[in-house]
Amino acid sequence: MGVDLDSPSNFMTTRLRQAVNWGRKYSLWPLPFGTACCAIEFMSAAASYHDISRYGAELVRFSPRQSDLMIIAGTISYKQASILKTIYSQMAEPKWVIAMGACASTGGFYNNYGTLQGADKVVPVDVYVAGCPPTPENLFFALTQIQEKVEKEGLEPSKVRHAARTQAQG
Amino acid sequence: MSQKLVERLQQEFGSEILATSSQHGDETISVAPENLAKVVAHLRDREGCEQLSDVVGVDYPERSRRLEVNYLLRSWSNKNRVRVKVEVPVDEPVPSLTGLYKSANWHEREVYDLFGVSFSGHPDLRRILTHHEFEGHPLRKDYEIEQGQECSRPENLFSDEDISRAAQRASDLVADLSGVEDEIHPSDLLTVNLGPSHPATHGALRVECLLDGETIIESRAEIGYLHRCFEKEAEDHTWAEVMPYTDRLNYCSAMLNNCIYAGAVEKMLAVEVTPRTRVIRVIVSELARIIDHLVCVCANLVDVGALTNYWYLYNIRESIYECLEALCGSRLTSNYARIGGMSHDLYEGFEDEIRVKMDQLKQGHDDVMKLIARNRIFLDRTVDVCVINTEEALSWGYTGPCLRATGLAVDLRKDAPYLGYEEYDFDIPTGVNGDTHDRIMVRMSEMIQSRSIVLQALEKLTEGPLWIDNPAIVMPPKQNVYGSIEGVMNQFKLVSEGIQVPAGEGYGFGEGANGELGFFCVSDGGGRPYRVKVRPPCFPIFSSFARLIQGRMIPDAIATLGSINIIAGELDR
């Protein structure tokens, strides 16, 4: 990125990709898919003490159409799984997913007839957060990991990106 | 009192009472299924048992009458309880009690879902916790715990006939109110889903509403989205290993769940904890109650648009969590109580820190009251919204703040004291109308009462042992484990086989943040529970939600859902 403050027109040169990703990175709009205990910790993360807005991600949207970061906060049961999938598919590209906590990552210590063994059985997950539930600090760490990932995103149309992702997953 | 009740029943019904028993202070009578409705009706009308607390199924595969259903009845006016038991073979129905108690509806659906007991005369016998594509009955002993079943799509809660009926009712309603004959066609009704992923449902639950304009003509609630199979997991672990699972029932007040579960198992073991442990349990329980109320009230206020209160109340909560995190290493899921004691003692300086936090609580409470007490918008949104009276609330199985909001001053800490609550001086706040406003205000006042209990308990805190003196229950100190063969053996037996709980049944309960929280335990004498049934306070309350919001508007439903404090973890278990 080059900034020219001396010339009368004050211009800046950068790559389009960098500029777009810079914007995306600091204005993630999370969709909290809160089902259980982790959702309460997400509330803590959003409250004034921990203050998620320091990361530019305070604009919590419950509509999948308006958000680009899904935070799966809590256990996903088999009953819930199809709903999770629907909501994920309603989000517009580009989109990222955090699996917050042990249950969303692996099913946690619920290995039984009702619990899906990890949200990644249904939707692709970008970052997993350990903890039962993770503290708000852990969630913020995951958020910064997502930001790093966003920085490296390309600007291809979603179909191309999607194909690349599927290929990468084998 | 309770003894006499059973005797009176025997006089009244003679040989129709098949058996009676008394264990751990619980009176039980057995009846044949055909006499069930008669006996329970007598208990309700003549013996003052206003409430059906819970219906518990138990499976005994080796018996010919394999399934057992326990009805837990409570009389608040006479301060006693009785349990009615029926046994049936797999293919025989049990008469439904939905005509006697409104709360029976969902309780019976749950027993049907998990055990396959069919209830004759039940108006809506569908699955409730598992999904509609589920096959089999998971809490039967022959169902494998890991046998998961996928669900391809959510259930449609309203059929076309239901919608036609609702449209007819809406037409009648309009005619009654305005005198204008205006036929509402089924296609005029709008179906709106609140949940299962919705900002105002505070968790995973779903309410499908049929709307005429913005008025809710009819609604149906669906739960089970967070069914994490607590009860099946409990049967798969030792009594002590169940403790972390109890954290995640009502995750806003995990300490309360810990203490009440430990109390239930101690009841089965017939042991009393030490005085210091009793006081510590009171302190952490009341802190948990305060936190639960803070979360409930602040989320409720956000729902009605009062966002500032969220920042105020959550800061107090964070501040109390600093102490709890230092105490037990985690914020939400504390896992602090143990059977026969506490996992470890209070840290140095805990008392002083808590006193400071209690001052902050008072300050925060007063700040919020200044913002809402005379706030026109808040009052308009909550006063006279979704009213329920005492009699109806009892029939629906209400307990705790929601029942007290109707004006009935009952509290298990006063009515059936445990942990020495009778030694503390506190009031039971009550409401007047049983509307959303009262439910919020009762919670606000209860925080101040809990604060007073915490401060009194800090004064009562004396030095002394934390654990009871019983090597069959308590882990040996580490120096014994590493220093003597007896210590190693003792630890090994307790960890691998678990605490051996004498065979029998017992119901341990206490005043949870949201009402009566109970654990119905059945032991076969081994180290693992044969059955643990949670009596979650919000389950019966939520079963009345469709009744509460009928004829109201969507914004009223949102304000009310927050005020009855539905925590999906304990609702679905």
Side-chain angles (χ1 to χ4, degrees):
Chain A
M1 193 186 289
V3 182
D4 188 347
L5 294 172
D6 299 331
S7 77
S9 52
N10 274 194
F11 68 93
M12 190 174 90
T13 55
T14 179
R15 288 201 180 99
L16 177 64
R17 203 188 73 158
Q18 246 175 358
V20 169
N21 285 344
W22 176 79
R24 279 179 180 160
K25 181 177 152 187
Y26 293 117
S27 60
L28 289 164
W29 287 24
L31 163 82
F33 194 84
T35 61
C37 334
C38 289
I40 305 288
E41 279 303 64
F42 179 81
M43 281 167 76
S44 288
S48 43
Y49 183 82
H50 290 102
D51 195 9
I52 200 171
S53 55
R54 291 180 291 156
Y55 300 85
E58 81 278 19
L59 218 55
V60 174
R61 282 292 174 270
F62 286 88
S63 162
R65 307 288 190 202
Q66 299 172 349
S67 40
D68 51 7
L69 171 65
M70 180 184 245
I71 299 179
I72 305 172
T75 316
I76 302 300
S77 64
Y78 286 112
K79 199 171 182 173
Q80 184 85 275
S82 65
I83 293 149
L84 174 65
K85 197 170 181 174
T86 310
I87 292 184
Y88 176 77
S89 57
Q90 284 171 343
M91 288 169 68
E93 291 271 356
K95 54 189 170 185
W96 298 271
V97 177
I98 293 179
M100 180 180 178
C103 289
S105 303
T106 66
F109 72 170
Y110 294 101
N111 185 8
N112 54 38
Y113 64 85
T115 313
L116 189 71
Q117 299 301 297
D120 53 6
K121 297 261 190 294
V122 186
V123 296
V125 173
D126 293 286
V127 176
Y128 299 85
V129 192
C132 188
T135 58
E137 291 86 344
N138 288 354
L139 180 66
F140 293 154
F141 179 66
L143 203 59
T144 54
Q145 300 265 296
I146 290 281
Q147 288 180 337
E148 279 173 26
K149 205 163 176 174
V150 171
E151 216 169 42
K152 294 176 198 137
E153 285 285 336
L155 293 178
E156 304 86 359
S158 59
K159 265 185 193 165
V160 180
R161 286 154 43 85
H162 206 74
R165 185 183 280 172
T166 324
Q167 206 173 16
Q169 281 173 353
Chain B
M1 186 76 196
S2 216
Q3 191 64 44
K4 281 187 197 148
L5 170 66
V6 172
E7 283 166 16
R8 282 201 298 276
L9 284 173
Q10 276 173 325
Q11 271 173 11
E12 179 76 27
F13 293 102
S15 61
E16 287 176 358
I17 306 286
L18 300 176
T20 64
S21 69
S22 172
Q23 197 179 21
H24 307 304
D26 299 352
E27 304 296 330
T28 310
I29 58 168
S30 298
V31 297
E34 59 271 22
N35 296 326
L36 174 71
K38 189 166 70 176
V39 174
V40 174
H42 176 84
L43 279 165
R44 186 190 69 161
D45 299 330
R46 302 286 167 77
E47 300 290 349
C49 293
E50 310 99 347
Q51 200 158 56
L52 175 67
S53 299
D54 205 354
V55 180
V56 185
V58 189
D59 179 28
Y60 296 97
E62 69 286 356
R63 295 186 188 168
S64 63
R65 301 174 80 79
R66 171 176 175 173
L67 301 169
E68 181 186 285
V69 187
N70 294 275
Y71 296 83
L72 277 57
L73 300 166
R74 179 183 286 281
S75 166
W76 291 98
S77 46
N78 299 332
K79 293 192 181 23
N80 62 8
R81 297 179 293 122
V82 65
R83 188 154 75 231
V84 183
K85 197 186 276 279
V86 294
E87 289 175 14
V88 284
V90 176
D91 45 4
E92 198 178 296
V94 177
S96 168
L97 295 185
T98 41
L100 294 170
Y101 297 100
K102 288 176 174 160
S103 59
N105 190 323
W106 276 25
H107 286 312
E108 287 176 356
R109 275 178 68 188
E110 185 188 321
V111 177
Y112 162 73
D113 183 5
L114 303 179
F115 288 91
V117 178
S118 65
F119 291 89
S120 56
H122 192 288
D124 182 29
L125 201 60
R126 287 181 295 124
R127 289 190 179 272
I128 185 163
L129 293 180
T130 58
H131 51 80
H132 62 120
E133 292 168 4
F134 201 89
E135 283 173 11
H137 302 284
L139 276 191
R140 286 201 185 161
K141 291 288 174 187
D142 46 18
Y143 193 95
E144 288 295 321
I145 183 170
E146 288 170 20
Q147 196 183 328
Q149 298 187 27
E150 285 179 11
C151 175
S152 61
R153 58 178 179 83
E155 191 181 1
N156 216 355
L157 297 182
F158 284 108
S159 66
D160 289 344
E161 293 98 81
D162 292 331
I163 297 175
S164 309
R165 263 202 305 278
Q168 184 56 46
R169 221 182 25 259
S171 312
D172 296 347
L173 201 69
V174 171
D176 279 354
L177 290 175
S178 61
V180 184
E181 289 288 334
D182 178 21
E183 199 193 330
I184 294 174
H185 195 262
S187 62
D188 295 340
L189 293 182
L190 177 69
T191 310
V192 168
N193 270 300
L194 293 180
S197 174
H198 187 276
T201 57
H202 300 223
L205 39 97
R206 171 181 174 209
V207 184
E208 193 170 329
C209 306
L210 290 180
L211 305 179
D212 173 29
E214 243 193 295
T215 309
I216 300 165
I217 300 301
E218 198 177 332
S219 67
R220 281 189 187 165
E222 194 197 14
I223 65 169
Y225 287 101
L226 194 57
H227 181 47
R228 300 190 279 199
C229 324
F230 170 84
E231 289 160 16
K232 193 78 176 177
E233 288 283 1
E235 291 170 20
D236 204 43
H237 290 78
T238 64
W239 290 95
E241 283 170 351
V242 176
M243 192 62 77
Y245 285 93
T246 66
D247 284 337
R248 289 150 184 86
L249 290 170
N250 182 344
Y251 31 74
C252 294
S253 51
M255 293 276 197
L256 265 165
N257 306 338
N258 292 168
C259 294
I260 294 174
Y261 172 72
V265 182
E266 282 151 10
K267 193 174 181 178
M268 298 282 288
L269 290 161
V271 294
E272 278 274 325
V273 288
T274 61
R276 184 170 172 84
T277 294
R278 277 153 69 104
V279 177
I280 293 178
R281 283 192 187 172
V282 168
I283 294 172
V284 294
S285 293
E286 294 309 314
L287 289 175
R289 193 185 312 280
I290 290 169
I291 289 172
D292 194 280
H293 287 350
L294 285 171
V295 175
C296 171
V297 171
C298 79
N300 199 179
L301 291 172
V302 172
D303 292 342
V304 297
L307 189 65
T308 319
N309 303 283
Y310 173 54
W311 315 126
Y312 281 18
L313 292 176
Y314 240 73
N315 278 349
I316 310 169
R317 177 179 171 276
E318 289 298 335
S319 157
I320 297 176
Y321 265 153
E322 279 171 16
C323 291
L324 294 188
E325 197 176 7
L327 181 61
C328 59
S330 120
R331 289 154 53 88
L332 231 67
T333 43
S334 50
N335 190 19
Y336 183 46
R338 291 288 182 275
I339 297 160
M342 303 305 272
S343 75
H344 47 268
D345 211 332
L346 302 178
Y347 61 89
E348 210 180 313
F350 176 81
E351 290 93 327
D352 297 334
E353 277 183 31
I354 289 292
R355 285 197 182 90
V356 175
K357 309 289 178 193
M358 289 299 106
D359 288 344
Q360 292 173 355
L361 170 70
K362 182 79 177 65
Q363 179 68 43
H365 170 273
D366 294 350
D367 286 347
V368 167
M369 285 306 278
K370 271 184 214 153
L371 284 171
I372 62 171
R374 287 153 57 80
N375 183 314
R376 180 66 188 274
I377 303 170
F378 173 70
L379 296 178
D380 283 352
R381 289 292 303 273
T382 56
V383 174
D384 284 334
V385 168
C386 298
V387 180
I388 189 162
N389 65 29
T390 308
E391 197 186 341
E392 215 185 331
L394 282 169
S395 179
W396 278 111
Y398 276 43
T399 48
C402 295
L403 180 57
R404 294 192 276 276
T406 68
L408 188 68
V410 290
D411 189 321
L412 289 171
R413 292 173 293 174
K414 292 265 192 201
D415 290 299
Y418 54 102
L419 293 178
Y421 269 113
E422 63 275 22
E423 298 157 18
Y424 296 89
D425 179 27
F426 64 101
D427 295 329
I428 307 178
T430 55
V432 183
N433 298 324
D435 56 10
T436 298
H437 178 262
D438 284 357
R439 286 188 280 269
I440 296 173
M441 286 304 155
V442 163
R443 284 205 168 81
M444 291 299 283
S445 313
E446 273 185 21
M447 283 193 259
I448 296 303
Q449 295 303 323
S450 291
R451 169 181 179 268
S452 150
I453 297 174
V454 170
L455 294 176
Q456 291 172 47
L458 289 175
E459 296 300 322
K460 282 184 203 291
L461 204 57
T462 49
E463 290 300 315
L466 208 56
W467 292 87
I468 55 169
D469 184 19
N470 187 340
I473 297 172
V474 177
M475 289 275 196
K478 277 284 178 260
Q479 60 264 38
N480 288 11
V481 178
Y482 294 123
S484 73
I485 188 70
E486 292 80 15
V488 177
M489 286 305 292
N490 191 354
Q491 159 126 345
F492 179 77
K493 295 278 260 186
L494 279 177
V495 172
S496 61
E497 291 174 7
I499 298 165
Q500 304 293 306
V501 175
E505 297 175 351
Y507 179 60
F509 58 92
E511 183 74 19
N514 207 18
E516 177 183 348
L517 174 66
F519 290 89
F520 181 84
C521 307
V522 181
S523 173
D524 56 0
R528 287 161 195 261
Y530 189 79
R531 171 99 170 97
V532 176
K533 166 73 171 74
V534 190
R535 192 264 176 211
C538 66
F539 183 85
I541 296 177
F542 192 57
S543 72
S544 74
F545 188 64
R547 136 76 186 85
L548 277 179
I549 62 171
Q550 188 165 25
R552 310 287 322 189
M553 295 201 174
I554 288 278
D556 296 340
I558 303 299
T560 303
L561 187 58
S563 77
I564 56 177
N565 194 15
I566 302 304
I567 304 289
E570 68 173 12
L571 178 73
D572 300 340
R573 282 152 283 146

